[in-house]
Amino acid sequence: MAQKVVAAVKAKFGDAIVATESSHGDEVIVVKRDKLVAVATFLRDDPAMAFDVPVFVTAIDLLDWRPQGRRGAPDPDARPEFDPGEHNDGLRFEVCFQLRSITHRHRVRLKVQVKENDCKVPTLSLLWAGFGWQERETFDMYGIRFEGHPDLRRIYLYDEFIGYPLRKDYPKDKRQPLVRRPDLVGDH
């Protein structure tokens, strides 16, 4: 059913589409970063699309990602390994926005590929307020900056926390600075 959504987006934003794929029953549209808001606005406002439910936002860290087919054998049709060098243009993360339409009973996932040294995407929280907290969570855990977000700050971790704990290169035994909170010092 969501195939018609993919076809409509391809027809309207052909040059903005990097790739499309089907994944576990969901249609996925990989969009250029600078066209994300235009595509998302179309999906929200066009009556034939009517995506009214922001389901989730997250990021995928492709560091050390190796494509595998059945039984662990290399899959020549899969996307190539992550290459942090110049050949892969530094792409490391995929930011995913899952949308659903209650009216039309279809869903679609928008993905934006992000470079390691340029971790930012435009916010979609201005289109769907429900993405506000989830974009903050993605920022807190992966360090992806959502440009234009009205309140982008850490949501789970304290301000002095150094790094982003869901990045694959975050050291599991990393120690964080001791933070003294004056409001908690005293007779406890």
Side-chain angles (χ1 to χ4, degrees):
M1 182 151 193
Q3 286 289 335
K4 72 177 186 180
V5 173
V6 174
V9 171
K10 278 183 173 178
K12 188 162 181 70
F13 300 97
D15 61 333
I17 308 304
V18 175
T20 60
E21 62 187 40
S22 295
S23 176
H24 306 287
D26 288 328
E27 297 304 318
V28 179
I29 305 172
V30 182
V31 181
K32 291 181 181 174
R33 180 171 57 183
D34 60 335
K35 302 292 185 184
L36 174 65
V37 174
V39 172
T41 302
F42 169 72
L43 292 174
R44 184 191 68 172
D45 296 344
D46 188 281
M49 303 292 115
F51 282 92
D52 51 357
V53 179
V55 180
F56 67 80
V57 178
T58 191
I60 301 169
D61 187 349
L62 298 174
L63 183 67
D64 297 330
W65 184 81
R66 304 281 185 271
Q68 292 183 344
R70 297 179 121 188
R71 300 181 186 144
D75 183 357
D77 296 329
R79 123 183 72 185
E81 294 179 13
F82 172 74
D83 176 9
E86 298 174 14
H87 302 294
N88 198 18
D89 205 21
L91 294 174
R92 175 170 169 180
F93 299 99
E94 289 181 335
V95 182
C96 305
F97 299 88
Q98 180 82 17
L99 299 168
R100 184 177 180 101
S101 170
I102 292 176
T103 304
H104 300 298
R105 298 177 155 233
H106 51 218
R107 59 186 186 221
V108 70
R109 185 173 308 147
L110 296 177
K111 282 187 180 180
V112 177
Q113 298 172 325
V114 179
K115 295 178 182 178
E116 182 173 7
N117 61 0
D118 190 23
C119 291
K120 60 185 178 186
V121 296
T123 183
L124 294 187
S125 67
L126 302 177
L127 298 175
W128 294 278
F131 279 154
W133 285 77
Q134 296 175 36
E135 288 180 352
R136 283 182 59 191
E137 179 183 40
T138 304
F139 165 70
D140 199 10
M141 296 292 126
Y142 290 96
I144 307 291
R145 300 197 66 80
F146 292 87
E147 293 184 319
H149 191 286
D151 188 23
L152 190 63
R153 58 187 164 97
R154 290 197 179 265
I155 192 167
Y156 297 126
L157 301 171
Y158 51 98
D159 292 337
E160 294 82 5
F161 192 93
I162 299 170
Y164 304 100
L166 290 186
R167 286 187 175 192
K168 289 183 177 176
D169 56 356
Y170 183 84
K172 65 181 179 185
D173 56 351
K174 182 176 178 69
R175 297 184 63 100
Q176 292 293 325
L178 179 62
V179 177
R180 301 225 182 255
R181 291 186 51 188
D183 57 326
L184 298 179
V185 176
D187 298 329
H188 294 284

